[in-house]
Amino acid sequence: MTFGITLILLSIIAVPSLLLSKKPNAKELLEKIEPYQGWIGLIFCFYGVWGIIFSILNLGWLTTFPIWWVTLLAGSVVEAVLGFMLGFSLINKFVLSKNEAAKEKAIALREKLAPKQGKLGIVGLFVGAWMIVASILFF
């Protein structure tokens, strides 16, 4: 359930235009969060990578809880990608600054993913909600 809740929170941060169209006073809240967006993205990127590793380590769940396992893996992938997109500046600064080849690949990946951030944020909202429901139903 924790993965689902964190994915929903991350998706809300990643899709500010959707949030602003529904609630005009949300702009103030988003402006308060903006300076911390890189750190939030960095933390959620590592949390999503941990979710991917966790689901691979628990591959045995595929036979007993297949729907939950697939849900966990999908949610973790979306969380890692959204976290990467939001925390790219800090990831670039702290992790990739010493390796130019990795830095170039990360910039190319970021350019491919940037136009899809809004759509991925909406997918993250749905997957996060499904993760919460699936954790209640299947696990």
Side-chain angles (χ1 to χ4, degrees), residues 92-106:
N92 199 13
K93 181 179 176 182
F94 292 125
V95 179
L96 303 174
S97 62
K98 295 178 180 141
N99 188 347
E100 282 299 319
K103 194 175 187 178
E104 299 279 331
K105 289 180 183 179

Side-chain angles (χ1 to χ4, degrees), residues 67-103:
I67 296 172
W68 171 244
W69 187 85
V70 171
T71 301
L72 177 63
L73 182 63
S76 297
V77 168
V78 171
E79 191 164 22
V81 172
L82 279 176
F84 173 77
M85 292 170 70
L86 291 176
F88 180 74
S89 60
L90 287 178
I91 292 171
N92 199 13
K93 181 179 176 182
F94 292 125
V95 179
L96 303 174
S97 62
K98 295 178 180 141
N99 188 347
E100 282 299 319
K103 194 175 187 178

Side-chain angles (χ1 to χ4, degrees), residues 5-75:
I5 294 169
T6 57
L7 182 57
I8 289 173
L9 293 174
L10 181 65
S11 297
I12 289 171
I13 294 170
V15 190
S17 59
L18 176 71
L19 188 63
L20 289 175
S21 68
K22 301 288 181 190
K23 202 169 188 183
N25 62 349
K27 185 175 183 177
E28 297 167 5
L29 178 64
L30 289 173
E31 286 176 355
K32 290 178 185 176
I33 294 174
E34 192 173 330
Y36 307 106
Q37 182 174 333
W39 285 106
I40 293 168
L42 182 68
I43 291 167
F44 280 116
C45 180
F46 286 121
Y47 193 61
V49 170
W50 168 246
I52 294 168
I53 293 169
F54 182 75
S55 62
I56 291 171
L57 289 175
N58 292 300
L59 200 58
W61 287 357
L62 196 53
T63 58
T64 54
F65 304 109
I67 296 172
W68 171 244
W69 187 85
V70 171
T71 301
L72 177 63
L73 182 63

Side-chain angles (χ1 to χ4, degrees), residues 1 64-65 67-68 129-139:
M1 190 177 294
T64 54
F65 304 109
I67 296 172
W68 171 244
W130 171 247
M131 287 180 84
I132 294 170
V133 171
S135 69
I136 294 169
L137 293 177
F138 301 113
F139 193 65

